[in-house]
Amino acid sequence: AGGSRRRWQPKKEGRKEGSGLKRKRKMAPSANSSDPLAKEVHGTNPQRIVEKILRTKIYNCTYWKERLFGLTAETLVDRAIELTHVGGTYGGLRKPTKFMCLLLKMLQIAPDYEIVLEFVKNDDHKYVRCLGALYLRCTGRPQQIYKFLEPLLADYSAIRCRAFDGWSLSHVDEFVDDLLAKDYCCDIALPHLPRRWHLEKQGLLQPRAPLVADEDDDEDQDQDRRGGGGGEKKKGEEKPPPEKNQKKKKK
């Protein structure tokens, strides 16, 4: 009976190698993954600036699948020109707007810095300018944000805003002011932005230049026009009034 007992034997190393087959395989990049060449923004994936719940809604919407699939930095402009409003989500189900879908697409493909500046400086399409301003606010440095967004405070173009409670009318300068002053815009939490006076104290920014130069020029032109009109009146007033002419005749 004692000879029938099995002796203990150490496990072979070959079994350990076979157990490696059960390890998780790396997932292949999907259509919703960020560009592998895209740099991290604020120490994380750029797409994570948009909350996960909103990202999931965007990935599942029809506009993202049909109109933004395979979009590149070169063809992004064609979709941005088609925008007709700004906003984050709308309706009772909080569906994502096209504006927010394009923002997430820009965070995914990470266009060059020059392309973003062209968006911000675009004078012909105001919604393209707003899209570039929001992207720069999410990914740019504080010095870049103040440098390129403050000139937009002189843009008083009217824009349409879509929110969960309906439509509203705003202006480009109000939209940019919200980006500079608030930490929440278009239903997303914006990265922290230091105050301007704090950057000026550190010597990272120069004092803000006034934006009323153009208004002063317009006032000068109006005064010149009024002065020209007044000159015509003076020429007409050169003739003496009729009472004085009558007195001269009596004398």
Side-chain angles (χ1 to χ4, degrees):
S4 61
R5 293 180 180 178
R6 295 181 181 178
R7 296 182 180 180
W8 178 83
Q9 295 180 357
K11 295 182 180 180
K12 295 182 180 180
E13 297 180 356
R15 295 181 181 177
K16 294 182 180 180
E17 295 177 358
S19 62
L21 299 175
K22 297 181 180 179
R23 296 178 181 175
K24 295 182 180 180
R25 296 180 180 178
K26 294 182 179 180
M27 297 296 293
S30 62
N32 299 331
S33 59
S34 300
D35 190 349
L37 300 179
K39 298 180 181 179
E40 292 185 351
V41 177
H42 305 291
T44 185
N45 188 347
Q47 291 193 79
R48 294 185 179 179
I49 295 177
V50 181
E51 286 79 359
K52 185 178 180 179
I53 297 176
L54 183 54
R55 287 203 316 267
T56 305
K57 291 181 179 180
I58 294 174
Y59 294 153
N60 295 330
C61 71
T62 306
Y63 181 75
W64 175 270
K65 295 178 180 178
E66 295 182 358
R67 304 291 293 174
L68 304 184
F69 178 78
L71 206 65
T72 61
E74 290 76 14
T75 58
L76 179 67
V77 184
D78 300 334
R79 296 290 174 266
I81 292 175
E82 299 173 355
L83 289 174
T84 58
H85 59 274
V86 301
T89 58
Y90 67 94
L93 299 177
R94 294 298 186 103
K95 297 180 180 179
T97 60
K98 296 180 180 180
F99 184 82
M100 184 53 57
C101 292
L102 278 172
L103 175 65
L104 184 62
K105 195 65 180 182
M106 292 183 69
L107 295 173
Q108 181 186 13
I109 62 179
D112 295 337
Y113 185 67
E114 298 177 355
I115 297 177
V116 178
L117 293 184
E118 290 297 329
F119 275 45
V120 175
K121 297 178 181 179
N122 194 321
D123 298 331
D124 300 329
H125 304 280
K126 50 190 175 183
Y127 297 107
V128 175
R129 168 174 281 188
C130 293
L131 180 62
L134 180 57
Y135 178 80
L136 183 62
R137 174 65 177 85
C138 293
T139 61
R141 297 180 179 179
Q143 298 89 333
Q144 299 171 346
I145 294 172
Y146 283 108
K147 179 179 179 181
F148 295 105
L149 293 192
E150 283 182 345
L152 302 186
L153 295 174
D155 188 354
Y156 308 118
S157 303
I159 56 176
R160 287 180 290 181
C161 302
R162 193 173 191 181
F164 69 95
D165 55 350
W167 294 87
S168 61
L169 184 65
S170 183
H171 300 82
V172 176
D173 62 322
E174 296 178 7
F175 180 78
V176 174
D177 185 67
D178 291 342
L179 296 179
L180 296 176
K182 297 181 180 180
D183 295 331
Y184 196 81
C185 183
C186 293
D187 296 329
I188 61 173
L190 302 175
H192 176 68
L193 181 65
R195 298 297 180 184
R196 180 180 176 83
W197 65 268
H198 186 66
L199 298 177
E200 291 180 359
K201 189 175 181 180
Q202 293 180 347
L204 301 176
L205 278 179
Q206 296 180 356
R208 181 177 175 182
L211 299 175
V212 296
D214 298 336
E215 297 179 0
D216 293 341
D217 296 339
D218 295 339
E219 291 179 359
D220 294 340
Q221 292 178 1
D222 294 339
Q223 291 178 0
D224 294 339
R225 292 175 184 175
R226 293 174 183 175
E232 293 178 357
K233 292 181 180 180
K234 290 181 181 179
K235 290 181 181 179
E237 291 175 357
E238 289 179 357
K239 298 180 180 180
E243 296 178 356
K244 294 182 179 180
N245 292 334
Q246 294 176 0
K247 291 181 181 180
K248 288 181 180 181
K249 288 181 181 179
K250 290 179 180 180
K251 290 180 181 181

